[in-house]
C-alpha cells in the first residue's frame, strides 16, 4: 500500500496521485463496476438506491416525481466523475487539477456508499465475518476511506 497516495506541492493547486500498479488496478476495477451499476440502472438494487436516494421517504409519489426530474442528471454526473478517475489511473503518477480532485472525492464516496451497502455497514462499521471474501472487501472499504481522507488532507486550503 502506498503510504502517501496524494501529494501537493507547497503553494500549488495540483495534487499528484501516486498509487502502485496493484492499487491502480483495484481502483480501476471498482470504478468500472460502479459505472456498470450506474449505466445498468437496476432500480431494485439497494446499492443504486443508496447512490440515488429517495428525496421523500414517506411520500412515494413525491419521491417518484423528484426522481423523474433529477435521477438522470445525477447519474450522468456520477458516470462522468467515474470516467475522469479511470482516465487519471492510466499513468503511475498523475496530476489532478481542482475539477479532477472533486471527481476523485465524489467517486471515492460513491464507491464507499456502494460497498458499504453490499457489506451492510452500519454506524458501528463493517460487521465481523468468517467469510474471507467479506473480510477482504471490508479491508477494501477501509482502504477507500483511507484514500478519501488522504486526498482531503492534500487539498489546497482555500
Amino acid at each position: 500500500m502506498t503510504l502517501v497516495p496524494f501529494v501537493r506541492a507547497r503553494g500549488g493547486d495540483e495534487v499528484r496521485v501516486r498509487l502502485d500498479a496493484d492499487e491502480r488496478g483495484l481502483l480501476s476495477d471498482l470504478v468500472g463496476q460502479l459505472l456498470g451499476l450506474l449505466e445498468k440502472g437496476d432500480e431494485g438494487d439497494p446499492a443504486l438506491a443508496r447512490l440515488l436516494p429517495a428525496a421523500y421517504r414517506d411520500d412515494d409519489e413525491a419521491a417518484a416525481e423528484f426522481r423523474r426530474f433529477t435521477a438522470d442528471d445525477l447519474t450522468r454526473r456520477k458516470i462522468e466523475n467515474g470516467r475522469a478517475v479511470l482516465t487519471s489511473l492510466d499513468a503511475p503518477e498523475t496530476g489532478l487539477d481542482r475539477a479532477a480532485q472533486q471527481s476523485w472525492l465524489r467517486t471515492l464516496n460513491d464507491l464507499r456508499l456502494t460497498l458499504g451497502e453490499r457489506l451492510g455497514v452500519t454506524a458501528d462499521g463493517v460487521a465481523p465475518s468468517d467469510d474471507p471474501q467479506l473480510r477482504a472487501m471490508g479491508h477494501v472499504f477501509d482502504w477507500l476511506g483511507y484514500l478519501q481522507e488522504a486526498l482531503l488532507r492534500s487539498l489546497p486550503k482555500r
Side-chain angles (χ1 to χ4, degrees), residues 89-155:
L89 287 170
D90 288 341
E93 190 171 321
T94 304
L96 303 177
D97 61 16
R98 285 184 180 258
Q101 294 162 20
Q102 292 303 310
S103 289
W104 268 76
L105 285 172
R106 291 178 180 126
T107 299
L108 288 170
N109 188 61
D110 287 345
L111 287 170
R112 293 192 78 230
L113 287 172
T114 302
L115 192 53
E117 183 64 37
R118 299 271 192 252
L119 291 170
V121 174
T122 65
D124 296 327
V126 178
S129 174
D130 292 333
D131 182 336
Q133 280 189 313
L134 289 177
R135 280 198 320 267
M137 292 313 294
H139 293 303
V140 170
F141 179 81
D142 290 341
W143 176 70
L144 291 170
Y146 166 73
L147 288 180
Q148 193 173 32
E149 180 180 359
L151 178 53
L152 281 168
R153 289 179 181 271
S154 71
L155 295 179

Side-chain angles (χ1 to χ4, degrees), residues 63-97:
E65 184 73 3
F66 183 82
R67 181 177 298 277
R68 184 169 71 92
F69 287 109
T70 62
D72 289 345
D73 185 54
L74 182 57
T75 301
R76 179 188 52 76
R77 285 184 282 141
K78 288 178 180 294
I79 290 170
E80 288 172 359
N81 287 325
R83 287 182 180 153
V85 170
L86 281 179
T87 298
S88 64
L89 287 170
D90 288 341
E93 190 171 321
T94 304
L96 303 177
D97 61 16

